[in-house]
Amino acid sequence: MVKEAVKNLKPYVPELTLEQLKKQKGLDKLVRMSANENAYGTSADVAKALDKWHYRDANLYPDSNADELREIIASQFDINADKLIFGNGLDEIIELLSRVILEPGDEVLDPAPTFSEYALHAEIEGAKIKSVGLDDSGRIDLKAMARSISSKTKMIWICNPNNPTGTFLEADAIRAFVEDVPEAITVIVDEAYIDFTGGIHDSVIQLTKEFKNLVVLRTFSKAYGLANFRVGFAVCSDPLIGYLQAARLPYNLSTFAEIAATAAFKDQSFVDNTVKKVIAERKKWEHFLIKAGLPFYDSATNFIFFQVKGGDADALHEYLLENGYLLRNGLRKDWLRVTIGRPEDNQAVQKLIADYLA
Ligand SMILES: *Cc1c(COP(=O)(O)O)cnc(C)c1O
Protein backbone atom coordinates (compact mmCIF):
# COMPACT_ATOMS: atom_id res chain seq x y z
CA MET A 1 0.00 0.00 0.00
CA VAL A 2 2.87 2.40 0.75
CA LYS A 3 6.50 2.36 -0.30
CA GLU A 4 8.81 0.21 1.79
CA ALA A 5 10.85 3.16 3.03
CA VAL A 6 7.97 4.90 4.80
CA LYS A 7 6.66 1.89 6.70
CA ASN A 8 8.92 2.40 9.71
CA LEU A 9 8.98 6.20 9.82
CA LYS A 10 8.70 7.90 13.14
CA PRO A 11 6.73 11.07 12.41
CA TYR A 12 8.11 14.47 13.42
CA VAL A 13 6.42 15.49 16.65
CA PRO A 14 5.71 19.19 16.26
CA GLU A 15 5.60 21.62 19.15
CA LEU A 16 2.15 22.02 20.70
CA THR A 17 0.90 25.57 20.31
CA LEU A 18 1.48 27.72 23.37
CA GLU A 19 -2.28 27.77 24.00
CA GLN A 20 -2.54 23.96 23.86
CA LEU A 21 0.39 23.51 26.23
CA LYS A 22 -0.86 26.17 28.66
CA LYS A 23 -4.20 24.44 28.84
CA GLN A 24 -2.58 21.03 29.31
CA LYS A 25 -0.40 22.27 32.17
CA GLY A 26 -2.89 24.70 33.70
CA LEU A 27 -0.52 27.66 33.23
CA ASP A 28 -1.41 31.35 32.87
CA LYS A 29 1.90 32.26 31.32
CA LEU A 30 4.23 30.21 29.16
CA VAL A 31 7.32 31.29 27.25
CA ARG A 32 8.60 28.98 24.53
CA MET A 33 12.38 28.71 24.53
CA SER A 34 12.45 25.40 22.70
CA ALA A 35 12.00 26.18 19.00
CA ASN A 36 14.72 28.79 18.33
CA GLU A 37 12.16 31.37 17.28
CA ASN A 38 13.11 35.04 17.35
CA ALA A 39 12.40 36.24 20.90
CA TYR A 40 12.42 39.82 19.65
CA GLY A 41 9.51 39.39 17.27
CA THR A 42 9.41 40.51 13.66
CA SER A 43 10.29 43.73 11.84
CA ALA A 44 7.44 46.27 12.13
CA ASP A 45 7.79 46.77 8.36
CA VAL A 46 6.25 43.32 7.80
CA ALA A 47 2.85 44.32 9.19
CA LYS A 48 2.95 47.59 7.24
CA ALA A 49 3.65 45.78 3.98
CA LEU A 50 0.96 43.15 4.60
CA ASP A 51 -1.63 45.85 5.39
CA LYS A 52 -1.26 47.14 1.86
CA TRP A 53 -2.24 43.80 0.33
CA HIS A 54 -5.58 43.73 -1.50
CA TYR A 55 -7.77 40.94 -0.20
CA ARG A 56 -9.72 41.00 -3.43
CA ASP A 57 -6.68 39.27 -5.01
CA ALA A 58 -7.29 36.19 -2.87
CA ASN A 59 -8.68 34.30 -5.90
CA LEU A 60 -5.45 34.76 -7.88
CA TYR A 61 -2.46 32.42 -7.79
CA PRO A 62 0.72 33.92 -6.35
CA ASP A 63 3.84 34.76 -8.39
CA SER A 64 5.41 31.33 -8.92
CA ASN A 65 8.88 32.87 -9.23
CA ALA A 66 8.67 35.19 -6.21
CA ASP A 67 10.37 37.74 -8.44
CA GLU A 68 10.52 40.70 -6.06
CA LEU A 69 12.01 38.64 -3.25
CA ARG A 70 14.36 36.90 -5.70
CA GLU A 71 15.72 40.17 -7.04
CA ILE A 72 16.50 41.79 -3.68
CA ILE A 73 18.19 38.67 -2.34
CA ALA A 74 20.23 38.18 -5.53
CA SER A 75 21.39 41.79 -5.46
CA GLN A 76 22.25 41.70 -1.74
CA PHE A 77 24.43 38.59 -2.18
CA ASP A 78 25.72 39.61 -5.61
CA ILE A 79 24.62 36.37 -7.24
CA ASN A 80 22.68 35.51 -10.37
CA ALA A 81 18.93 35.55 -9.57
CA ASP A 82 18.54 32.20 -11.37
CA LYS A 83 20.59 30.53 -8.65
CA LEU A 84 17.79 30.92 -6.09
CA ILE A 85 14.96 28.53 -5.30
CA PHE A 86 12.35 29.26 -2.65
CA GLY A 87 10.55 26.84 -0.38
CA ASN A 88 7.60 26.73 1.98
CA GLY A 89 10.09 27.01 4.81
CA LEU A 90 13.54 25.54 4.52
CA ASP A 91 11.92 22.25 5.44
CA GLU A 92 10.45 22.04 1.96
CA ILE A 93 13.85 22.62 0.35
CA ILE A 94 15.38 19.87 2.49
CA GLU A 95 12.63 17.55 1.30
CA LEU A 96 12.99 18.64 -2.33
CA LEU A 97 16.77 18.13 -2.42
CA SER A 98 16.35 14.63 -1.00
CA ARG A 99 13.56 13.84 -3.42
CA VAL A 100 15.47 15.03 -6.48
CA ILE A 101 18.89 13.59 -5.65
CA LEU A 102 18.36 10.32 -3.78
CA GLU A 103 17.51 6.85 -4.95
CA PRO A 104 17.05 3.72 -2.82
CA GLY A 105 20.40 2.37 -1.69
CA ASP A 106 22.23 5.71 -1.88
CA GLU A 107 24.17 6.90 1.15
CA VAL A 108 23.80 10.25 2.88
CA LEU A 109 26.25 11.65 5.43
CA ASP A 110 25.20 13.92 8.27
CA PRO A 111 26.75 14.97 11.57
CA ALA A 112 25.43 13.60 14.87
CA PRO A 113 23.65 15.19 16.54
CA THR A 114 22.14 17.54 13.99
CA PHE A 115 18.79 18.72 12.59
CA SER A 116 16.60 15.62 12.27
CA GLU A 117 14.96 16.52 8.93
CA TYR A 118 18.02 15.49 6.89
CA ALA A 119 17.78 11.89 8.05
CA LEU A 120 13.99 11.79 7.82
CA HIS A 121 13.93 12.68 4.13
CA ALA A 122 16.87 10.41 3.29
CA GLU A 123 14.90 7.60 4.87
CA ILE A 124 11.72 8.41 2.94
CA GLU A 125 13.70 8.12 -0.30
CA GLY A 126 15.04 4.73 0.77
CA ALA A 127 18.58 6.05 1.20
CA LYS A 128 20.86 5.08 4.05
CA ILE A 129 21.95 7.74 6.51
CA LYS A 130 25.47 7.49 7.93
CA SER A 131 25.89 9.81 10.90
CA VAL A 132 29.35 11.02 11.83
CA GLY A 133 30.12 12.07 15.43
CA LEU A 134 31.34 15.56 16.31
CA ASP A 135 34.90 16.38 17.36
CA ASP A 136 35.83 16.97 21.02
CA SER A 137 34.81 20.62 20.91
CA GLY A 138 31.39 19.64 19.61
CA ARG A 139 32.08 20.88 16.09
CA ILE A 140 31.26 19.01 12.92
CA ASP A 141 34.25 16.75 12.21
CA LEU A 142 34.97 17.43 8.54
CA LYS A 143 37.95 15.07 8.46
CA ALA A 144 35.84 12.21 9.76
CA MET A 145 33.11 13.11 7.27
CA ALA A 146 35.60 13.02 4.39
CA ARG A 147 36.78 9.58 5.57
CA SER A 148 33.18 8.33 5.58
CA ILE A 149 32.59 9.02 1.89
CA SER A 150 32.01 5.85 -0.13
CA SER A 151 31.16 5.08 -3.76
CA LYS A 152 27.48 5.16 -2.71
CA THR A 153 27.57 8.61 -1.08
CA LYS A 154 25.29 11.09 -2.86
CA MET A 155 24.73 13.88 -0.33
CA ILE A 156 26.58 15.41 2.60
CA TRP A 157 24.79 17.67 5.11
CA ILE A 158 26.69 20.34 7.01
CA CYS A 159 24.56 22.35 9.39
CA ASN A 160 26.57 25.51 10.07
CA PRO A 161 26.24 26.64 12.78
CA ASN A 162 25.05 23.22 13.88
CA ASN A 163 21.69 22.61 15.52
CA PRO A 164 21.54 21.55 18.40
CA THR A 165 25.17 22.16 19.43
CA GLY A 166 25.38 25.75 18.16
CA THR A 167 28.99 25.18 17.07
CA PHE A 168 30.39 26.89 14.01
CA LEU A 169 32.91 26.14 11.24
CA GLU A 170 34.83 28.87 9.43
CA ALA A 171 34.18 29.34 5.71
CA ASP A 172 37.81 28.37 4.92
CA ALA A 173 37.36 24.97 6.56
CA ILE A 174 34.26 24.31 4.49
CA ARG A 175 36.04 25.41 1.32
CA ALA A 176 38.91 23.00 1.95
CA PHE A 177 36.40 20.20 2.58
CA VAL A 178 34.34 20.85 -0.58
CA GLU A 179 37.51 21.00 -2.68
CA ASP A 180 38.19 17.36 -1.79
CA VAL A 181 34.65 16.04 -2.29
CA PRO A 182 34.03 14.38 -5.68
CA GLU A 183 31.80 16.55 -7.88
CA ALA A 184 29.13 13.85 -8.14
CA ILE A 185 28.37 14.30 -4.43
CA THR A 186 26.20 17.26 -3.42
CA VAL A 187 27.38 19.13 -0.32
CA ILE A 188 24.61 21.06 1.40
CA VAL A 189 25.44 23.73 3.95
CA ASP A 190 22.41 24.67 6.05
CA GLU A 191 22.98 28.26 7.22
CA ALA A 192 19.68 28.64 9.11
CA TYR A 193 21.56 30.34 11.99
CA ILE A 194 24.44 32.03 10.16
CA ASP A 195 23.20 35.56 10.99
CA PHE A 196 23.83 34.93 14.67
CA THR A 197 27.58 34.39 14.30
CA GLY A 198 27.93 38.15 14.11
CA GLY A 199 30.66 37.79 11.43
CA ILE A 200 30.11 39.14 7.93
CA HIS A 201 32.32 36.70 6.04
CA ASP A 202 31.01 33.53 7.63
CA SER A 203 28.59 32.44 4.90
CA VAL A 204 29.72 30.19 2.05
CA ILE A 205 27.13 31.53 -0.42
CA GLN A 206 29.92 33.03 -2.55
CA LEU A 207 31.53 29.59 -2.89
CA THR A 208 28.54 28.44 -4.97
CA LYS A 209 30.17 30.42 -7.80
CA GLU A 210 33.16 28.08 -7.62
CA PHE A 211 31.66 24.72 -6.72
CA LYS A 212 28.77 23.34 -8.77
CA ASN A 213 28.08 20.65 -6.19
CA LEU A 214 27.62 23.11 -3.30
CA VAL A 215 24.15 24.14 -2.11
CA VAL A 216 23.64 26.78 0.61
CA LEU A 217 20.38 27.03 2.56
CA ARG A 218 18.84 30.00 4.37
CA THR A 219 15.58 30.60 6.21
CA PHE A 220 13.46 33.55 7.28
CA SER A 221 12.29 31.65 10.36
CA LYS A 222 15.07 32.52 12.76
CA ALA A 223 16.94 35.88 12.64
CA TYR A 224 14.19 37.43 10.47
CA GLY A 225 11.48 36.33 12.91
CA LEU A 226 9.09 34.96 10.27
CA ALA A 227 8.67 31.30 11.28
CA ASN A 228 4.90 31.48 10.80
CA PHE A 229 5.20 32.57 7.16
CA ARG A 230 7.28 29.59 6.00
CA VAL A 231 9.95 31.00 3.70
CA GLY A 232 13.34 29.46 3.05
CA PHE A 233 15.65 29.35 0.06
CA ALA A 234 18.60 27.58 -1.49
CA VAL A 235 21.46 28.99 -3.52
CA CYS A 236 22.86 26.55 -6.05
CA SER A 237 24.19 26.23 -9.57
CA ASP A 238 23.37 24.59 -12.88
CA PRO A 239 22.41 21.90 -13.56
CA LEU A 240 20.99 21.05 -10.09
CA ILE A 241 18.99 24.28 -9.79
CA GLY A 242 17.13 23.42 -13.00
CA TYR A 243 16.15 19.97 -11.73
CA LEU A 244 14.99 21.42 -8.42
CA GLN A 245 12.87 24.03 -10.20
CA ALA A 246 11.32 21.35 -12.42
CA ALA A 247 10.39 19.17 -9.45
CA ARG A 248 9.08 21.78 -6.98
CA LEU A 249 5.42 22.63 -6.48
CA PRO A 250 4.65 25.64 -8.70
CA TYR A 251 2.90 27.78 -6.07
CA ASN A 252 4.72 26.85 -2.90
CA LEU A 253 4.88 30.43 -1.56
CA SER A 254 1.77 32.49 -0.93
CA THR A 255 1.80 36.16 -1.86
CA PHE A 256 1.51 36.84 1.88
CA ALA A 257 4.73 34.95 2.49
CA GLU A 258 6.52 36.73 -0.32
CA ILE A 259 5.42 40.19 0.86
CA ALA A 260 6.41 39.41 4.45
CA ALA A 261 9.82 38.02 3.50
CA THR A 262 10.54 40.92 1.15
CA ALA A 263 9.73 43.50 3.84
CA ALA A 264 11.74 41.56 6.44
CA PHE A 265 14.75 41.25 4.14
CA LYS A 266 14.74 44.98 3.38
CA ASP A 267 14.85 45.80 7.10
CA GLN A 268 18.37 44.60 7.85
CA SER A 269 18.50 46.90 10.89
CA PHE A 270 15.91 44.67 12.60
CA VAL A 271 18.15 41.65 11.98
CA ASP A 272 21.25 43.54 13.17
CA ASN A 273 19.47 44.58 16.36
CA THR A 274 18.22 41.06 16.99
CA VAL A 275 21.72 39.68 16.54
CA LYS A 276 23.25 42.29 18.88
CA LYS A 277 20.72 41.50 21.60
CA VAL A 278 21.10 37.74 21.14
CA ILE A 279 24.90 37.93 21.35
CA ALA A 280 24.74 40.05 24.53
CA GLU A 281 22.28 37.60 26.13
CA ARG A 282 24.27 34.60 24.91
CA LYS A 283 27.32 35.92 26.79
CA LYS A 284 25.23 36.19 29.96
CA TRP A 285 24.04 32.60 29.47
CA GLU A 286 27.65 31.39 29.07
CA HIS A 287 28.65 33.27 32.20
CA PHE A 288 25.76 31.71 34.10
CA LEU A 289 26.49 28.16 32.88
CA ILE A 290 30.16 28.46 33.84
CA LYS A 291 29.21 29.68 37.31
CA ALA A 292 26.66 26.90 37.69
CA GLY A 293 29.25 24.31 36.61
CA LEU A 294 27.14 23.10 33.68
CA PRO A 295 29.11 22.05 30.56
CA PHE A 296 27.99 23.58 27.26
CA TYR A 297 29.22 24.02 23.69
CA ASP A 298 30.39 27.38 22.35
CA SER A 299 27.37 28.68 20.50
CA ALA A 300 27.31 30.94 17.45
CA THR A 301 23.49 30.84 17.37
CA ASN A 302 20.36 31.97 19.23
CA PHE A 303 20.40 28.85 21.42
CA ILE A 304 22.75 27.02 23.79
CA PHE A 305 23.03 23.27 24.33
CA PHE A 306 24.06 22.42 27.89
CA GLN A 307 24.49 19.38 30.08
CA VAL A 308 22.50 19.07 33.28
CA LYS A 309 25.51 17.73 35.12
CA GLY A 310 24.69 16.35 38.52
CA GLY A 311 20.96 16.63 37.86
CA ASP A 312 18.19 15.08 35.82
CA ALA A 313 17.53 16.89 32.52
CA ASP A 314 13.96 15.62 32.21
CA ALA A 315 13.15 16.63 35.77
CA LEU A 316 14.65 20.09 35.25
CA HIS A 317 12.71 20.40 31.98
CA GLU A 318 9.48 19.62 33.83
CA TYR A 319 10.33 22.01 36.68
CA LEU A 320 10.94 24.85 34.23
CA LEU A 321 7.73 24.04 32.36
CA GLU A 322 5.70 24.14 35.57
CA ASN A 323 7.19 27.58 36.12
CA GLY A 324 6.19 28.81 32.68
CA TYR A 325 9.29 28.13 30.55
CA LEU A 326 9.55 25.51 27.85
CA LEU A 327 13.05 24.28 26.85
CA ARG A 328 13.94 21.47 24.41
CA ASN A 329 14.81 18.06 25.79
CA GLY A 330 15.23 14.64 24.22
CA LEU A 331 18.04 15.63 21.84
CA ARG A 332 20.75 13.93 23.91
CA LYS A 333 20.58 12.21 27.27
CA ASP A 334 21.21 14.68 30.14
CA TRP A 335 21.28 17.71 27.82
CA LEU A 336 18.84 20.56 27.24
CA ARG A 337 18.71 23.19 24.50
CA VAL A 338 17.57 26.68 25.44
CA THR A 339 16.66 29.35 22.92
CA ILE A 340 18.14 32.72 23.89
CA GLY A 341 15.08 34.65 25.02
CA ARG A 342 14.36 38.19 26.13
CA PRO A 343 16.59 39.44 28.98
CA GLU A 344 13.89 39.10 31.65
CA ASP A 345 13.07 35.53 30.58
CA ASN A 346 16.73 34.48 30.43
CA GLN A 347 17.24 35.83 33.92
CA ALA A 348 14.15 34.07 35.24
CA VAL A 349 15.17 30.72 33.72
CA GLN A 350 18.71 31.06 35.04
CA LYS A 351 17.38 31.73 38.52
CA LEU A 352 15.08 28.70 38.29
CA ILE A 353 17.97 26.48 37.17
CA ALA A 354 20.15 27.75 40.02
CA ASP A 355 17.34 27.06 42.51
CA TYR A 356 16.79 23.61 41.06
CA LEU A 357 20.48 22.70 41.36
CA ALA A 358 20.87 24.13 44.87
C1 LIG B 1 14.70 25.82 11.98
C2 LIG B 1 15.61 25.09 11.07
C3 LIG B 1 15.28 24.88 9.72
C4 LIG B 1 13.89 25.01 9.20
O1 LIG B 1 13.50 26.24 8.93
P1 LIG B 1 12.08 26.54 8.28
O2 LIG B 1 12.44 27.55 7.24
O3 LIG B 1 11.27 27.11 9.38
O4 LIG B 1 11.49 25.31 7.69
C5 LIG B 1 16.23 24.32 8.88
N1 LIG B 1 17.43 23.96 9.34
C6 LIG B 1 17.77 24.10 10.64
C7 LIG B 1 19.10 23.66 11.09
C8 LIG B 1 16.86 24.65 11.54
O5 LIG B 1 17.16 24.71 12.84
Side-chain angles (χ1 to χ4, degrees), residues 35-36 87-92 94 114-115 117-118 159-163 190-193 217-222 226-228 230-233 303 337:
N36 302 340
N88 189 253
L90 200 45
D91 285 346
E92 190 189 28
I94 294 168
T114 195
F115 193 51
E117 296 280 301
Y118 316 142
C159 187
N160 194 47
N162 188 42
N163 180 3
D190 182 343
E191 295 189 338
Y193 298 98
L217 308 185
R218 291 289 186 95
T219 178
F220 281 86
S221 297
K222 310 286 161 56
L226 276 185
N228 207 328
R230 316 302 306 126
V231 185
F233 64 92
F303 57 84
R337 191 189 67 193

Side-chain angles (χ1 to χ4, degrees), residues 2-21:
V2 296
K3 66 184 185 184
E4 211 45 49
V6 300
K7 283 188 182 159
N8 299 315
L9 285 185
K10 286 182 231 66
Y12 182 80
V13 183
E15 300 268 345
L16 294 178
T17 66
L18 284 180
E19 287 314 314
Q20 288 163 343
L21 197 55

Side-chain angles (χ1 to χ4, degrees), residues 110-215:
D110 77 350
T114 195
F115 193 51
S116 60
E117 296 280 301
Y118 316 142
L120 171 72
H121 291 292
E123 207 182 327
I124 293 173
E125 301 309 325
K128 198 173 155 231
I129 194 95
K130 277 212 271 180
S131 295
V132 180
L134 306 174
D135 70 15
D136 291 340
S137 61
R139 300 201 301 173
I140 293 175
D141 191 338
L142 292 176
K143 287 207 176 83
M145 293 202 84
R147 281 196 303 271
S148 305
I149 293 173
S150 80
S151 58
K152 291 183 178 165
T153 308
K154 282 285 178 61
M155 276 172 122
I156 302 175
W157 290 97
I158 298 174
C159 187
N160 194 47
N162 188 42
N163 180 3
T165 52
T167 46
F168 164 68
L169 296 171
E170 311 269 326
D172 283 347
I174 294 178
R175 161 196 279 279
F177 174 77
V178 180
E179 262 169 359
D180 285 345
V181 173
E183 239 189 81
I185 301 173
T186 305
V187 178
I188 303 152
V189 181
D190 182 343
E191 295 189 338
Y193 298 98
I194 198 81
D195 298 282
F196 296 109
T197 66
I200 48 170
H201 300 297
D202 291 337
S203 171
V204 292
I205 283 183
Q206 296 308 317
L207 294 184
T208 61
K209 293 174 180 170
E210 245 173 280
F211 301 102
K212 280 188 177 297
N213 58 333
L214 176 66
V215 181

Side-chain angles (χ1 to χ4, degrees), residues 72-81 205-206 209:
I72 57 162
I73 292 175
S75 105
Q76 168 75 25
F77 292 127
D78 187 28
I79 53 172
N80 188 325
I205 283 183
Q206 296 308 317
K209 293 174 180 170

Side-chain angles (χ1 to χ4, degrees), residues 234-305:
V235 185
C236 71
S237 310
D238 273 333
L240 179 58
I241 187 76
Y243 295 123
L244 294 172
Q245 288 290 10
R248 80 169 164 95
L249 297 176
Y251 300 111
N252 54 348
L253 251 64
S254 72
T255 302
F256 249 43
E258 187 187 343
I259 291 172
T262 303
F265 195 79
K266 283 181 181 165
D267 188 3
Q268 286 296 324
S269 70
F270 172 80
V271 178
D272 294 346
N273 276 327
T274 291
V275 170
K276 251 186 235 150
K277 288 185 250 181
V278 164
I279 291 176
E281 286 301 305
R282 195 166 72 202
K283 287 203 180 110
K284 291 191 211 161
W285 262 106
E286 288 168 355
H287 190 75
F288 165 77
L289 291 168
I290 290 169
K291 231 175 73 186
L294 301 180
F296 64 95
Y297 290 122
D298 273 337
S299 171
T301 63
N302 68 336
F303 57 84
I304 295 192
F305 197 42

